[in-house]
């Protein structure tokens, strides 16, 4: 199979949460253990930083990678989901895994995948571990897919565990309280491995402390320890917390015989996009009118983004909005301002919520606008209607942002 055939097979033959949702989620580590044993346990040859959390884990992972690249290290970066191309998930020093490696790995192991009913995510985790081990990276930064305790990435023994924050998201899998979700995320804390907590609440802090005590792990609450942060090319307000988490992680990493200078930290944070290729985080796509997209998609993330929009100066606010069909609309729609013009759309995946349903539910929250057959149509209509002094925001789902022309500004 060539690359496109390989990708089509992966997406169509194996359960993929990005496309299918709940049917792709596995609460079991049996398969990933089978796979890494089949691959001769490449993860055992890796030095890793393991990153979990409800929001911010992607930004945090990319910031860490950028800083470590500036310090001269060869850095593997595994994240999900991707925006445009599957290969965005697996990078070394900002360079995506080659199409050839993806094809060779898949073709070589295809029978094993089929015989053992491997999920899409399990397979990609095995691919990342195999690639990073073969390429002999100095550090692999591994972002969990969902949760932590039963996530397929949770078979590594990292140098440091990082948990960015806890909010209500994926409650059908992880629990419907902050304590329950914190318990799942805290599952990445390993015996005698230090853990960095980015943000905590009264509900989540005791969960983290109890787990750290159980595993005899040193625990660091970055929001209490780091007072000042550095500027970054990731400019969303929510990045302040992520930067504190990153700086604390680097501090602990320097205690483990790594050499990362303050100059590396400053330069790394200023060049995250250039060094890693991260997109979709309060990303500006135009200036007159100002156009911003963001992948925030749950209550916690959207609250912060909506507050940041209100800090902007504009005549009229235009919002291009689409979501997936398992999103709790009663939770997120009240966060959006009623004094905006809405352009409702459906992301082009099977999980996308029917645009008529979104429009009707939005109307109940006094959010008014027309429906559009695609993200592109909605985006183009907003640009047509907006004046130079207006503001356009596009979001609601990672999959909406994925359909935008992200490099046109």
């Amino acid at each position: 199979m060539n690359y496109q055939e390989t990708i089509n097979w992966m997406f169509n033959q194996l359960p993929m949460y990005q496309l299918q949702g709940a049917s792709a989620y596995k609460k079991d580590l049996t398969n990933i253990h089978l796979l890494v044993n089949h691959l001769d346990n490449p993860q055992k040859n890796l030095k890793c930083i393991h990153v979990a959390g409800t929001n911010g884990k992607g930004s945090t992972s990319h910031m860490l990678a950028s800083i470590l690249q500036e310090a001269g290290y060869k850095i593997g970066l595994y994240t999900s989901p991707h925006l445009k191309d599957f290969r965005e998930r697996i990078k070394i020093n900002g360079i995506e895994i080659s199409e050839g490696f993806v094809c060779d790995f898949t073709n070589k192991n295809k029978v094993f995948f089929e015989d053992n009913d491997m999920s899409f995510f399990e397979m990609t985790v095995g691919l990342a571990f195999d690639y990073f081990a073969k390429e002999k990276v100095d550090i692999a930064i591994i972002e969990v897919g969902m949760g932590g305790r039963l996530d397929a990435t949770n078979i590594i023994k990292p140098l440091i565990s990082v948990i960015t924050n806890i909010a209500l998201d994926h409650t059908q899998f992880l629990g419907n309280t902050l304590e329950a979700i914190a318990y799942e995320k805290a599952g990445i804390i390993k015996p005698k491995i230090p853990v960095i907590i980015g943000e905590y609440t009264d509900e989540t802090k005791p969960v983290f402390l109890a787990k750290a005590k159980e595993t005899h792990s040193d625990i660091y609450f970055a929001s209490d320890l780091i007072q000042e942060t550095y500027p970054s090319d990731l400019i969303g307000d929510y990045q302040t917390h992520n930067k504190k988490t990153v700086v604390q992680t680097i501090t602990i990493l320097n205690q483990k015989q790594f050499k990362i200078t303050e100059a590396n930290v400053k330069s790394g944070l200023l060049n995250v996009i250039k060094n890693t290729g991260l997109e979709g985080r309060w990303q500006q796509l135009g200036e007159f009118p100002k156009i911003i997209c963001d992948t925030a998609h749950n209550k916690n993330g959207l609250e912060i983004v909506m507050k940041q929009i209100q800090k902007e100066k504009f005549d009229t606010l235009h919002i291009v909005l689409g979501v997936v069909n398992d999103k709790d609309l009663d939770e997120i729609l009240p966060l959006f301002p009623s004094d905006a013009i809405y352009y409702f759309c459906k992301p082009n995946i099977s999980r996308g919520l029917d645009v008529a349903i979104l429009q009707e539910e939005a109307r109940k929250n006094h959010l008014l606008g027309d429906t559009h057959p695609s993200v592109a149509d909605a985006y183009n209509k907003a640009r047509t209607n907006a004046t130079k002094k207006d503001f356009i925001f596009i979001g609601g789902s990672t999959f909406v942002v994925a359909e935008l022309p992200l490099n046109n500004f």
Side-chain angles (χ1 to χ4, degrees):
M1 297 186 294
N2 63 27
Y3 178 68
Q4 193 56 55
E5 290 169 341
T6 300
I7 293 299
N8 291 342
W9 180 83
M10 290 165 62
F11 289 176
N12 293 328
Q13 300 303 316
L14 301 173
M16 180 183 180
Y17 182 79
Q18 185 165 346
L19 297 179
Q20 296 171 236
S23 65
Y25 182 63
K26 290 190 175 182
K27 292 187 175 183
D28 193 295
L29 295 179
T30 301
N31 268 16
I32 191 62
H33 281 295
L34 284 174
L35 178 55
V36 293
N37 286 336
H38 170 72
L39 298 172
D40 294 327
N41 289 292
Q43 80 283 1
K44 292 185 177 180
N45 297 318
L46 299 174
K47 294 179 179 178
C48 300
I49 298 174
H50 204 188
V51 182
T54 302
N55 295 313
K57 56 185 181 291
S59 294
T60 297
S61 296
H62 283 78
M63 288 180 184
L64 285 168
S66 182
I67 290 169
L68 291 166
Q69 286 171 225
E70 291 286 341
Y73 293 104
K74 186 176 184 179
I75 303 303
L77 179 60
Y78 176 74
T79 59
S80 61
H82 60 271
L83 286 176
K84 302 288 188 181
D85 184 346
F86 164 79
R87 295 184 301 129
E88 296 168 27
R89 295 169 178 249
I90 303 170
K91 300 178 180 178
I92 294 177
N93 283 8
I95 305 300
E96 295 172 358
I97 187 172
S98 70
E99 293 182 358
F101 197 100
V102 175
C103 293
D104 290 346
F105 178 87
T106 305
N107 291 331
K108 179 180 178 181
N109 297 290
K110 184 170 179 283
V111 173
F112 181 87
F113 297 151
E114 292 173 331
D115 287 348
N116 291 279
D117 192 28
M118 289 288 150
S119 75
F120 172 87
F121 191 72
E122 288 162 346
M123 183 180 68
T124 59
V125 168
L127 170 61
F129 290 163
D130 189 63
Y131 181 58
F132 294 155
K134 283 184 168 65
E135 291 294 319
K136 295 181 170 56
V137 299
D138 295 315
I139 304 177
I141 298 169
I142 306 296
E143 178 194 336
V144 305
M146 187 193 302
R149 182 175 63 94
L150 297 175
D151 189 81
T153 63
N154 200 31
I155 59 170
I156 58 176
K157 183 178 181 181
L159 298 171
I160 302 173
S161 301
V162 177
I163 302 173
T164 57
N165 56 38
I166 302 297
L168 294 175
D169 196 20
H170 301 303
T171 53
Q172 67 269 48
F173 309 116
L174 306 179
N176 55 14
T177 67
L178 293 177
E179 292 93 337
I181 295 173
Y183 174 79
E184 293 298 325
K185 308 284 186 183
I188 73 165
I189 301 175
K190 303 294 194 307
K192 298 183 179 179
I193 302 297
V195 56
I196 313 296
I197 307 297
E199 301 173 71
Y200 63 86
T201 66
D202 290 343
E203 296 92 343
T204 63
K205 188 174 185 178
V207 178
F208 295 139
L209 288 171
K211 183 63 176 181
K213 182 178 180 181
E214 174 191 326
T215 58
H216 304 285
S217 301
D218 293 332
I219 186 168
Y220 303 86
F221 294 94
S223 57
D224 295 341
L225 295 170
I226 304 297
Q227 303 306 314
E228 299 292 331
T229 60
Y230 304 95
S232 174
D233 58 347
L234 301 184
I235 57 176
D237 287 354
Y238 50 82
Q239 300 297 0
T240 298
H241 295 293
N242 296 331
K243 286 188 287 186
K244 289 184 177 183
T245 306
V246 166
V247 171
Q248 183 61 45
T249 303
I250 294 297
T251 299
I252 302 306
L253 201 57
N254 269 333
Q255 297 174 8
K256 295 180 173 292
Q257 298 182 327
F258 286 86
K259 294 182 179 179
I260 305 115
T261 67
E262 185 177 19
N264 298 149
V265 174
K266 289 181 178 179
S267 182
L269 289 174
L270 283 172
N271 293 284
V272 179
I273 296 171
K274 174 186 173 184
N275 287 343
T276 70
L278 179 64
E279 293 185 310
R281 274 66 171 184
W282 195 259
Q283 183 173 348
Q284 187 167 351
L285 304 181
E287 189 167 11
F288 298 109
K290 188 171 184 179
I291 305 172
I292 295 289
C293 68
D294 196 280
T295 56
H297 56 275
N298 55 40
K299 181 180 179 181
N300 179 254
L302 286 168
E303 275 181 331
I304 298 171
V305 168
M306 291 302 116
K307 288 178 182 177
Q308 186 163 359
I309 289 174
Q310 295 307 319
K311 295 179 182 179
E312 298 283 340
K313 294 181 180 180
F314 50 78
D315 287 348
T316 301
L317 174 60
H318 304 259
I319 296 182
V320 176
L321 183 63
V323 298
V324 292
N325 58 20
D326 56 1
K327 191 58 57 183
D328 186 345
L329 298 181
D330 291 334
E331 185 176 68
I332 67 166
L333 288 178
L335 304 175
F336 285 84
S338 59
D339 58 346
I341 300 171
Y342 284 84
Y343 305 78
F344 300 110
C345 55
K346 173 184 176 294
N348 188 28
I349 59 168
S350 58
R351 288 175 61 213
L353 179 66
D354 181 88
V355 67
I357 296 174
L358 176 59
Q359 182 190 40
E360 176 59 23
E361 292 302 312
R363 186 191 61 78
K364 295 176 184 177
N365 287 274
H366 311 289
L367 311 179
L368 305 179
D370 294 331
T371 62
H372 300 272
S374 69
V375 172
D377 286 321
Y379 177 50
N380 290 333
K381 188 64 174 179
R383 293 179 67 189
T384 299
N385 289 349
T387 70
K388 291 183 177 181
K389 294 183 179 180
D390 289 352
F391 186 97
I392 300 173
F393 174 77
I394 311 101
S397 169
T398 299
F399 310 111
V400 169
V401 174
E403 295 182 42
L404 297 172
L406 296 177
N407 298 313
N408 67 345
F409 176 70

